């Protein structure tokens, strides 16, 4: 019960902070005479998706993710270092590396992408876009790649929870066009400039800049693209959702479409191949398939 209360506290405290920042950005762009930054219906959809995601995710963390963490912990190295500047920094860097792997896999495996596509389906970049998440994340299993390596190393679960929440809070502030370049920080840290590239749907922008707090993972593993070299950024995904303002549709259409593809082609490889593999494999046959009666009712 204590873990559930902690989860609800995180939702309430950071939810209030995020809403305040969104409101401040909205006022700023209005007073600056800028247009096209916020779209009212899209913003409402973002907020609704974010609320459902964080409630479900918080309860999932409290009810079974931390329990699984503790079960794995007993079989790991059980390092459990004392609190110090070095151990805290090591945890922050390690958790961010695990996020990089998790994030990369969410783009490369159709099962994981079916939930993550929600976050990329916004046509605008503003702080509310950060909240455009998917409540099915807790059930997709990709969180294992983020949480469990730390259990095997032996970090305290409460430390890990704080590190992950801190990582997510940092990433919230990457979703804006109002901050351009941050000088020398661009070399090491993930910044709004780097993250704008990540949200682009043009060829030079797809599957780039996966880092959470740090950008050097992308530079190390060849997934980095500077905004200066990315061309004009078009936000969204290559195949935009048909109902971009319906929060429920936004969070389940990826799963429905994946299930459709598996059923139609009788090919389970679709589940673990990259998201575009079905189009590459089945070509015109895939493009000609009829829309789903189920998803059109949502």
């Amino acid at each position: 019960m204590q873990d559930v209360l902690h989860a609800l506290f995180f939702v309430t405290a950071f939810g209030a902070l995020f809403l305040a920042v969104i409101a401040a950005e909205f006022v700023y762009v209005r007073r600056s005479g800028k247009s096209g930054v916020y779209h009212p219906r899209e913003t409402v959809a973002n907020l609704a998706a974010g609320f459902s995601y964080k409630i479900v995710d918080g309860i999932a963390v409290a009810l079974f993710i931390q329990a699984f963490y503790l079960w794995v912990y007993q079989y790991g190295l059980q390092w459990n270092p004392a609190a110090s500047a070095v151990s805290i920094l090591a945890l922050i860097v390690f958790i961010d590396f695990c996020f990089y792997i998790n994030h990369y896999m969410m783009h490369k495996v159709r099962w994981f992408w079916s939930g993550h596509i929600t976050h990329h389906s916004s046509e605008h970049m503003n702080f509310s876009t950060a909240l455009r998440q998917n409540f099915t994340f807790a059930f997709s299993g990709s969180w294992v790649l983020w949480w469990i390596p730390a259990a095997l190393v032996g970090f305290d679960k409460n430390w890990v929870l704080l590190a992950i929440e801190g990582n997510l809070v940092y990433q919230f502030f990457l979703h804006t066009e109002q901050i351009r370049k941050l000088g020398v920080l661009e070399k090491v840290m993930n910044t709004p400039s780097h993250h704008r590239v990540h949200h682009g749907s043009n060829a030079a922008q797809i599957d780039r800049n996966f880092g959470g707090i740090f950008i050097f993972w992308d530079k190390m593993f060849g997934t980095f693209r500077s905004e200066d070299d990315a061309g004009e950024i078009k936000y969204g995904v290559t195949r935009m959702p048909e109902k971009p303002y319906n929060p429920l549709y936004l969070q389940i259409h990826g799963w429905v479409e994946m299930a459709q593809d598996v059923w139609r082609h009788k090919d389970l490889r679709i589940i673990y191949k990259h998201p575009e593999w079905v189009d590459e494999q089945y070509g015109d046959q895939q493009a000609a398939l009829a829309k789903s009666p189920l998803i059109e009712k949502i």
Side-chain angles (χ1 to χ4, degrees):
M1 185 62 184
Q2 193 68 24
D3 285 338
V4 175
L5 293 177
H6 285 165
L8 293 176
F9 170 76
F10 272 116
V11 171
T12 303
F14 287 110
L17 171 64
F18 294 160
L19 289 175
V21 173
I22 290 168
E25 183 185 42
F26 176 77
V27 171
Y28 172 77
V29 297
R30 287 291 297 272
R31 290 183 175 178
S32 300
K34 299 178 180 179
S35 61
V37 178
Y38 276 88
H39 183 286
R41 293 181 66 190
E42 184 178 88
T43 301
V44 171
N46 293 347
L47 297 177
F51 179 79
S52 63
Y53 154 74
K54 202 55 191 173
I55 289 295
V56 173
D57 185 68
I59 294 174
V61 167
L63 294 183
F64 65 83
I65 292 178
Q66 291 190 83
F68 185 66
Y69 185 96
L70 290 174
W71 180 79
V72 172
Y73 180 91
Q74 64 185 321
Y75 299 106
L77 300 176
Q78 298 186 21
W79 180 33
N80 197 18
S84 68
V86 173
S87 61
I88 292 172
L89 179 60
L91 176 61
I92 292 172
V93 173
F94 184 74
I95 287 297
D96 199 62
F97 173 68
C98 294
F99 173 78
Y100 174 88
I101 298 300
N102 173 42
H103 197 184
Y104 180 88
M105 295 301 289
M106 284 196 288
H107 280 250
K108 296 298 186 178
V109 175
R110 179 76 179 273
W111 174 271
F112 297 145
W113 175 249
S114 295
H116 190 55
I117 189 175
T118 303
H119 183 60
H120 281 265
S121 62
S122 173
E123 292 184 282
H124 302 85
M125 176 60 85
N126 55 63
F127 285 127
S128 79
T129 306
L131 305 184
R132 193 182 181 94
Q133 301 288 347
N134 196 314
F135 72 87
T136 67
F137 172 77
F139 309 109
S140 70
S142 71
W143 57 266
V144 170
L145 300 171
W146 199 5
W147 280 80
I148 301 309
L152 292 172
V153 170
F155 286 108
D156 179 85
K157 77 171 178 66
N158 293 320
W159 282 31
V160 172
L161 175 61
L162 289 173
I164 288 176
E165 291 293 343
N167 194 290
L168 290 172
V169 170
Y170 180 90
Q171 290 186 55
F172 171 84
F173 292 97
L174 300 176
H175 295 80
T176 182
E177 293 180 310
Q178 309 317 308
I179 300 172
R180 301 313 299 175
K181 294 279 190 175
L182 294 177
V184 69
L185 291 179
E186 301 281 338
K187 297 182 180 300
V188 178
M189 309 298 292
N190 197 7
T191 65
S193 174
H194 298 325
H195 203 62
R196 286 192 287 271
V197 175
H198 179 71
H199 274 261
S201 61
N202 288 330
Q205 301 144 20
I206 293 174
D207 291 349
R208 297 289 179 175
N209 302 355
F210 293 104
I213 295 176
F214 303 110
I215 200 62
F216 49 67
W217 309 120
D218 291 281
K219 293 182 178 181
M220 288 171 59
F221 299 115
T223 54
F224 175 72
R225 177 83 71 190
S226 168
E227 189 174 25
D228 295 333
D229 300 325
E232 182 179 356
I233 297 177
K234 178 183 178 183
Y235 299 116
V237 290
T238 54
R239 189 163 51 203
M240 293 294 288
E242 295 179 8
K243 301 179 182 180
Y245 311 129
N246 182 326
L248 179 59
Y249 177 93
L250 288 173
Q251 295 178 88
I252 70 169
H253 79 93
W255 297 103
V256 172
E257 290 167 5
M258 181 186 69
Q260 285 179 311
D261 288 343
V262 171
W263 177 259
R264 288 162 174 165
H265 302 299
K266 305 298 186 291
D267 192 340
L268 290 175
R269 292 177 296 174
I270 291 168
I271 293 174
Y272 61 82
K273 291 288 189 177
H274 66 82
E276 302 301 324
W277 182 83
V278 66
D279 295 320
E280 297 169 2
Q281 183 74 7
Y282 293 101
D284 294 339
Q285 179 185 355
Q286 174 68 8
L289 292 172
K291 297 177 182 178
S292 165
L294 171 62
I295 200 168
E296 288 206 343
K297 292 180 180 179
I298 296 172

